Amino acid sequence: MTWRIAVLRGDGIGPEVTEAALRVLGACVAFQERPGLAGGAAIDAEGSPLPNETLGTCLSSDAVLAGAVGGPKWENGPVRAEQGILRLRRKLGLWGSLRPAKYLGLPTPLREDLARDADVLVVRDLSGGVYFGEPRGTTEVGAFNTWRQSEEQTIRIARTAFRAARSRRKKVTSVDKADVLEACRLWRRVVTNVGKEFPDVQLEHRHVDAMAFELLASPGRFDVILAENLFGDILSDEVAAFAGSIGLLPSASLGDGPPLFQPVHGSAPSIAGKGIANPVGAILSVAMLLDHGLGEPAIARAVEGAVQAALREERTPDIGGNATTAEFTAAVLRKLPAVLAAPKAQVEAEVSAWGV
Ligand code: NAD
Ligand code: IPM
Ligand code: MN
């Protein structure tokens, strides 16, 4: 089967890490690359951060692989590059994001004895909150946004988190600001009700400010972190501290249409074009694509195994090494054949003991 994969390279380091990801994907499955313009590159070429042609390509593909969009060039224009990603999520009906992060045995800003047990999955609502609420706008004296959360949005993302917890350590920590915001009081009430459908999963609530502290003070006590749109965005960068770099984290955006896979990080303008971006987040997004998009969990585990093995030999500068993006990617490609050929149980055992 030849999969149809829409590929949105985007801006800054987006094209660099996407190239690495495509090479790894090509070593795993047969696929037809269907390139599309998105973000700043699309504004420059077409005047829109998500041209209709790109949307059509995504809608008719089995999955979408993206880099990152945005950069200083498009910060003050009439339309921002980031709107391309937001519109894509909306048009593809992608309402939930899975963002795993754990300690990988790499240098981290945390004390090693604290970081060692960190292994979380941030389950983020992509459809609600302050991102899409209307009305919004700018007046002569200020600017305003509206925070909206519906029961339906909250129920479906909460169920996603509880289901994910069932195949992990069976614990959900729901994050809100229910002490201040009505939308978060609804969130807490709905999540509590959904929790009753999952009596085998432990549920706890945290205010986001307290959570921001506790995540770093006791990372090992968390499993699935359920958060609305903005809090999930913030906390999914915070948990990169467990792994050691924002460049290491992958994500899957799932919902009603073709799923989207991309690293959590952005376009990193200050290192763009230098060939030193860490491609691990993009390559592990390929593993998530294989798993959640193409139904190939064994190959997904092999990609994770090859990344793990490559990290023992080569590292990009953000995690203390001096490898280039291309050198690290070559190391992953060297490791991949042996891992792909290894018995499934052996690969799973090695990957579950992740660490380099
Ligand atoms: P960023 O994630 O681009 O960068 C934050 C820091 O991490 C920078 O120091 C950067 O150099 C470093 N970094 C990020 N990815 C790295 C990698 N793969 N390897 C090595 N170092 C890496 O966040 P930002 O600076 O806040 O945002 C820059 C632009 O990216 C903005 O326009 C923002 O809106 C956009 N953005 C896009 C996406 C996306 O398209 N999915 C996600 C986040 C941010
Ligand atoms: C992310 C990004 C996006 C978000 C931006 C680029 C719209 O930060 O995917 O984490 O805020 O959701
Ligand atoms: Mn983000």
Side-chain angles (χ1 to χ4, degrees):
M1 163 124 193
T2 300
W3 298 101
R4 292 162 306 170
I5 309 293
V7 179
L8 315 181
R9 287 173 170 73
D11 310 312
I13 61 168
E16 302 167 38
V17 297
T18 306
E19 218 45 61
L22 286 171
R23 293 192 63 197
V24 173
L25 183 60
C28 292
V29 291
F31 73 98
Q32 179 205 4
E33 181 190 332
R34 314 176 84 215
L37 285 171
I43 296 176
D44 289 350
E46 311 270 339
S48 158
L50 185 72
N52 286 336
E53 197 185 334
T54 302
L55 179 60
T57 301
C58 294
L59 281 167
S60 61
S61 295
D62 297 306
V64 184
L65 182 66
V69 300
K73 183 175 176 193
W74 305 282
E75 262 164 31
N76 300 310
V79 60
R80 287 196 56 128
E82 292 82 357
Q83 282 172 259
I85 291 292
L86 297 172
R87 186 159 164 241
L88 187 65
R89 286 178 188 157
R90 249 203 150 147
K91 294 285 182 182
L92 298 186
L94 303 177
W95 46 259
S97 182
L98 307 181
R99 301 179 165 202
K102 61 181 169 183
Y103 179 65
L104 302 175
L106 296 170
T108 95
L110 298 181
R111 242 177 38 216
E112 203 266 341
D113 61 316
L114 283 181
R116 204 170 33 223
D117 301 324
D119 180 354
V120 300
L121 175 71
V122 177
V123 177
R124 172 190 176 193
D125 175 43
L126 289 180
S127 64
V130 75
Y131 271 61
F132 295 107
E134 296 285 348
R136 60 189 292 164
T138 307
T139 67
E140 276 176 16
V141 291
F144 57 98
N145 291 89
T146 301
W147 188 307
R148 288 185 191 277
Q149 193 69 44
S150 77
E151 291 209 10
E152 188 199 352
Q153 288 165 336
T154 313
I155 290 169
R156 68 188 178 190
I157 196 68
R159 285 193 178 133
T160 304
F162 283 104
R163 284 192 198 110
R166 276 190 168 155
S167 56
R168 294 175 51 97
R169 301 195 309 282
K170 298 193 171 52
K171 183 170 171 185
V172 171
T173 305
S174 172
V175 179
D176 60 44
K177 187 71 186 166
D179 47 347
V180 175
L181 301 171
E182 282 81 358
C184 288
R185 287 201 269 277
L186 174 136
W187 175 276
R188 191 176 281 221
R189 174 173 60 74
V190 172
V191 171
T192 302
N193 278 338
V194 171
K196 292 175 190 152
E197 298 169 21
F198 299 84
D200 52 321
V201 178
Q202 185 196 336
L203 169 66
E204 61 180 16
H205 301 275
R206 286 288 185 280
H207 292 134
V208 65
D209 45 357
M211 182 67 173
F213 170 76
E214 205 177 343
L215 258 180
L216 299 184
S218 319
R221 66 176 306 288
F222 298 103
D223 179 15
V224 172
I225 298 168
L226 167 62
E228 66 77 54
N229 210 342
L230 180 61
F231 298 157
D233 180 44
I234 297 166
L235 296 181
S236 60
D237 270 33
E238 182 176 350
V239 296
F242 303 165
S245 166
I246 184 73
L248 294 163
L249 300 194
S251 82
S253 302
L254 309 172
D256 307 324
L260 164 70
F261 302 88
Q262 61 183 150
V264 168
H265 65 75
S267 59
S270 67
I271 59 163
K274 296 188 175 164
I276 55 164
N278 192 334
V280 169
I283 295 172
L284 292 179
S285 297
V286 163
M288 294 191 90
L289 185 157
L290 288 160
D291 207 344
H292 300 272
L294 311 186
E296 294 282 6
I299 308 181
R301 297 294 83 74
V303 169
E304 290 166 0
V307 167
Q308 184 179 345
L311 280 170
R312 291 197 189 103
E313 291 175 9
E314 304 264 19
R315 293 174 191 180
T316 46
D318 57 308
I319 47 174
N322 53 19
T324 63
T325 310
E327 284 163 352
F328 180 79
T329 307
V332 175
L333 292 168
R334 275 199 307 278
K335 300 289 177 192
L336 201 52
V339 199
L340 278 168
K344 191 169 161 251
Q346 187 186 324
V347 176
E348 276 173 3
E350 278 176 20
V351 169
S352 71
W354 246 95
V356 296

